[in-house]
Amino acid sequence: MKKIIVQKFGGTSVGSPERIKAVADICKKTIQREACELVVVVSAMGHTTDELCELMSQITQSPVPREYDMLLSSGEQVSTSLLSMALSSVGLDGHSMLGWQAGIKTSGVHRKAKIENVDTSYISSILSKGKIPVVAGFQGYAENKEVTTLGRSGSDTSAVALAVALGAERCDIYTDVDAVHTTDPRIVKNTGSLKLITYDEMLELASLGARVLHPRSVEIARNYNMPMRVRSSWKPENEGTLVVKNIDGRNETMIEGQKSVRGVALDKKHARLSILGVPDEPGIAYKIFGQLASKGISIDIIIQCASQDGIAELDFTVDLDDADKAQTELEKIAKEINAQSTILDKSIVKVSAVGAGMIDQPGVAAKMFKALADKKINIHMISTSEIRISCIVDEKDGELAVQTIHDAFNLDTVTE
Ligand code: ADP
Ligand code: ASP
Ligand code: MG
């Protein structure tokens, strides 16, 4: 049996007829070079999904979730069929398929469905005929024949899930940058470029706003130890970045001498909520966060200020999309617990430094805070993990904070 490689092409990579033809060429060259069977996953062309959202907003601001999924999943149907046709033009036999045909079974939660399992029998039968399955990313099906979508940018997750289910050798994510960089090259001009990155580092960066990979795709790759490569559709001969479990000579037990910080991410999709004048009693935090959780609102950073005269203040952050819902809920809670008032601030962002090497290098946080202070950037909240330091700052300072941290840790010199 030949090895299988899964290749995923993002929206810009299939953004025009010329780009789709270029993708067909990449597929042909991969088969020649790797002597492999190929499974291709595509996103919708260019800004199609955004345009569908815009169209929807002219009809309704609160779409029925199943209809939202039906509408948004249509973009990928166009690109799968066009790419299959382009494959014929280069002498290959493409076979387009939607999520349900590819056997991508998901939970029934529309708009953010999770992949439960993949029945690869149809894909395998197509492969055994010497054809190339071209699968619509971002979509699947749930019980009762419902079409579901996986959340925006979910095609990366479709690709990795298929790679795992098919026992593929690797999953290549072709995009519009040539590698994972030390930060978003759209924000910082002199970024370094990473040849290798660990799943843990990549998962942090992706979850913290580096949109180059969908965080759930990295999570699946890590759980199943699936090698992933991020590479450019414009320079397909470049190897890009390999995302792996351990980096030779730099695994979990051998990290000395490595850069403490390897990447910086900016997440603009945050909002801060505060509840003031909260009675400092047992059970209050449970009451507030239990009630928010029961409404499906996830909380990120939480800070409780030291109480004075039995009165405390709690600040926390939520996803920007949940901000208004969280504020409405928090006002109800404030009345129930006799808190004084609530504040919603949408003009904040989260900037984070990530690196597996910071585990046992003291002073990383201090260096980051000093660099921000030197630029007069005020930090509102801080949170850390073993391999990450995040600060909430004003939205207006976000990009400067990224550049400042990037400079402080000399990330422009990173080449490995
Ligand atoms: P696709 O449509 O191919 O899925 P995305 O727009 O989702 O592409 O992701 C690619 C974009 O991710 C790049 O254009 C870049 O601006 C952004 N990005 C953010 N952080 C990083 C990073 N650390 N390295 C590379 N790209 C990044
Ligand atoms: N087309 C979808 C989106 O724009 C999924 C993807 O591109 O991964 O979010
Ligand atoms: Mg993407």
Side-chain angles (χ1 to χ4, degrees):
M1 229 177 66
K2 278 188 188 166
K3 68 181 179 190
I4 297 175
I5 291 182
V6 176
Q7 295 188 325
K8 178 258 171 178
F9 296 90
T12 337
S13 303
V14 293
S16 65
E18 289 66 39
R19 292 314 313 161
I20 292 178
K21 288 180 197 166
V23 165
D25 277 333
I26 295 175
C27 294
K28 184 165 189 172
K29 287 194 181 116
T30 305
I31 292 175
Q32 287 165 348
R33 191 182 61 243
E34 306 253 6
C36 63
E37 289 184 326
L38 203 60
V39 174
V40 180
V41 175
V42 285
S43 292
M45 290 173 71
H47 297 292
T48 301
T49 315
D50 290 335
E51 285 157 14
L52 290 169
C53 286
E54 162 56 29
L55 195 58
M56 178 178 73
S57 72
Q58 293 179 40
I59 305 277
T60 175
Q61 294 301 321
S62 45
V64 176
R66 83 172 291 278
E67 301 305 337
Y68 170 101
D69 279 356
M70 204 58 145
L71 178 68
L72 263 66
S73 60
S74 66
E76 272 72 9
Q77 182 159 358
V78 174
S79 42
T80 45
S81 44
L82 288 176
L83 178 58
S84 296
M85 293 172 199
L87 287 169
S88 305
S89 306
V90 295
L92 296 171
D93 210 352
H95 190 97
S96 58
M97 50 177 95
L98 300 176
W100 66 268
Q101 293 172 302
I104 301 178
K105 171 85 195 323
T106 71
S107 63
V109 185
H110 286 288
R111 303 181 66 153
K112 44 182 169 186
K114 293 256 165 72
I115 297 177
E116 288 176 347
N117 53 64
V118 184
D119 174 355
T120 55
S121 48
Y122 185 51
I123 294 189
S124 298
S125 73
I126 295 301
L127 282 173
S128 67
K129 290 181 187 149
K131 298 184 179 192
I132 302 176
V134 183
V135 182
F138 172 58
Q139 57 175 268
Y141 75 101
E143 294 289 340
N144 307 327
K145 303 191 166 107
E146 291 294 322
V147 170
T148 52
T149 63
L150 309 178
R152 295 299 307 270
S153 302
S155 300
D156 298 335
T157 298
S158 311
V160 178
L162 279 172
V164 168
L166 289 160
E169 184 170 280
R170 196 176 75 235
C171 183
D172 284 348
I173 306 286
Y174 283 86
T175 182
D176 57 6
V177 276
D178 60 353
V180 177
H181 287 240
T182 46
T183 193
D184 188 342
R186 285 176 212 254
I187 300 178
V188 170
K189 291 288 157 253
N190 56 341
T191 52
S193 160
L194 303 166
K195 283 203 175 69
L196 292 164
I197 188 164
T198 63
Y199 293 125
D200 289 340
E201 289 170 320
M202 193 62 238
L203 186 55
E204 289 278 11
L205 280 175
S207 310
L208 293 164
R211 71 170 193 284
V212 63
L213 287 176
H214 195 227
R216 277 159 53 198
S217 69
V218 187
E219 208 171 357
I220 299 174
R222 180 180 68 174
N223 291 350
Y224 294 91
N225 212 5
M226 171 60 61
M228 272 175 109
R229 222 177 240 295
V230 175
R231 57 203 305 176
S232 163
S233 299
W234 278 258
K235 296 180 199 156
E237 59 291 347
N238 286 12
E239 297 225 297
T241 305
L242 186 62
V243 192
V244 286
K245 185 166 181 222
N246 291 322
I247 297 178
D248 275 351
R250 190 179 149 261
N251 61 30
E252 274 69 29
T253 55
M254 217 186 117
I255 50 177
E256 276 122 339
Q258 295 298 325
K259 281 208 178 277
S260 53
V261 174
R262 304 221 323 137
V264 183
L266 177 64
D267 188 347
K268 296 183 175 172
K269 286 196 72 224
H270 267 274
R272 176 165 69 152
L273 283 146
S274 307
I275 178 162
L276 314 178
V278 181
D280 190 14
E281 292 163 9
I284 289 287
Y286 169 65
K287 169 101 187 141
I288 296 172
F289 296 113
Q291 209 153 315
L292 290 168
S294 73
K295 298 288 170 192
I297 298 164
S298 303
I299 311 294
D300 187 27
I301 304 176
I302 303 176
I303 290 183
Q304 172 160 1
C305 298
S307 81
Q308 277 189 332
D309 306 325
I311 296 291
E313 174 183 332
L314 272 160
D315 296 289
F316 56 93
T317 63
V318 295
D319 193 288
L320 192 55
D321 290 340
D322 289 335
D324 292 320
K325 189 171 151 195
Q327 163 79 340
T328 309
E329 216 41 54
L330 195 62
E331 276 176 5
K332 280 190 218 156
I333 301 168
K335 282 204 185 85
E336 286 165 28
I337 61 173
N338 283 326
Q340 269 159 18
S341 57
T342 66
I343 302 171
L344 169 60
D345 182 0
K346 291 186 180 177
S347 57
I348 52 114
V349 294
K350 180 160 78 170
V351 51
S352 308
V354 172
M358 68 173 71
I359 293 176
D360 65 357
Q361 289 194 30
V364 178
K367 187 169 172 180
M368 175 165 159
F369 301 154
K370 177 174 188 310
L372 293 173
D374 287 347
K375 291 279 189 246
K376 309 247 175 308
I377 297 172
N378 193 24
I379 303 171
H380 297 296
M381 299 166 103
I382 297 167
S383 85
T384 61
S385 79
E386 279 187 328
I387 66 165
R388 163 184 64 85
I389 302 161
S390 299
C391 296
I392 298 291
V393 301
D394 287 334
E395 190 177 17
K396 66 174 175 46
D397 293 333
E399 297 201 352
L400 176 62
V402 171
Q403 179 81 59
T404 301
I405 299 166
H406 197 267
D407 291 346
F409 290 94
N410 299 321
L411 295 187
D412 56 329
T413 60
V414 172
T415 52
E416 290 302 322

